[in-house]
Amino acid sequence: MNELNIQDILKRLPHRYPFLLVDRVVEIEIGKRLRALKNVTMNEPHFQGHFPGFPVMPGVLIIEALAQAAALLAFVSEDKYGENAAVYFAGIDKARFRKPVTPGDQLELIANVSRRRSGMWQMETVALVNGAEVASALLMATLREHAQ
């Protein structure tokens, strides 16, 4: 497996419109690295108020997109979890925002595993637009089976 389309993503993430922020995974190295895409469009509801006349994607949503990409990497890398598994966000450090993201941009979301121990994942993440860094963060997550 080295790519995931939207149907594959929907099987692995619980998020749905308007909160699903990964459109496609274009590269996966199991247990190491993932590269995904998010197409930013004016149709997204947050642009109505952020900001009228100058739409900018909220930084927290860029971080959420990075967290979803990191969750996908953790999920596809762990083969011991089944359909009742979920990836839970556990922490964030060193978040930085460099440039605004606006409608028409395509976010390239990159997650690299920097540490993995006892079900906890630490990933260095970066978001790019046209090869330029727009945001980065060190994210932590854990996988768990959840009750239905």
Side-chain angles (χ1 to χ4, degrees):
M1 165 188 345
N2 52 1
E3 285 191 15
L4 298 175
N5 63 30
I6 193 64
Q7 296 305 320
D8 299 323
I9 292 166
L10 289 169
K11 289 177 189 172
R12 290 169 173 87
L13 291 180
H15 306 82
R16 297 297 180 263
Y17 176 85
F19 217 64
L20 180 62
L21 299 174
V22 176
D23 294 323
R24 178 175 204 79
V25 174
V26 294
E27 180 184 335
I28 304 170
E29 285 183 66
I30 299 296
K32 293 181 182 178
R33 182 175 192 272
L34 179 138
R35 190 167 62 91
L37 302 175
K38 159 61 175 141
N39 295 305
V40 180
T41 73
M42 190 61 193
N43 293 328
E44 296 174 51
H46 51 267
F47 287 127
Q48 287 182 355
H50 198 269
F51 298 100
F54 183 67
V56 176
M57 186 173 184
V60 68
L61 293 181
I62 298 169
I63 295 296
E64 175 63 27
L66 288 168
Q68 289 180 21
L72 285 165
L73 177 55
F75 193 84
V76 299
S77 298
E78 288 280 359
D79 57 1
K80 67 180 181 178
Y81 292 97
E83 288 183 19
N84 292 326
V87 178
Y88 294 96
F89 188 59
I92 182 170
D93 286 321
K94 301 179 183 176
R96 298 288 180 264
F97 303 96
R98 311 246 184 249
K99 295 182 177 184
V101 175
T102 59
D105 286 343
Q106 183 179 64
L107 280 175
E108 182 179 356
L109 309 164
I110 300 170
N112 290 298
V113 175
S114 56
R115 176 187 255 174
R116 178 179 173 189
R117 190 169 69 200
S118 301
M120 287 295 293
W121 293 75
Q122 178 177 287
M123 297 192 204
E124 295 175 9
T125 63
V126 64
L128 309 168
V129 172
N130 295 325
E133 184 176 314
V134 296
S136 62
L138 184 64
L139 304 177
M140 283 68 70
T142 185
L143 274 78
R144 299 283 186 255
E145 291 285 343
H146 59 85
Q148 286 191 339

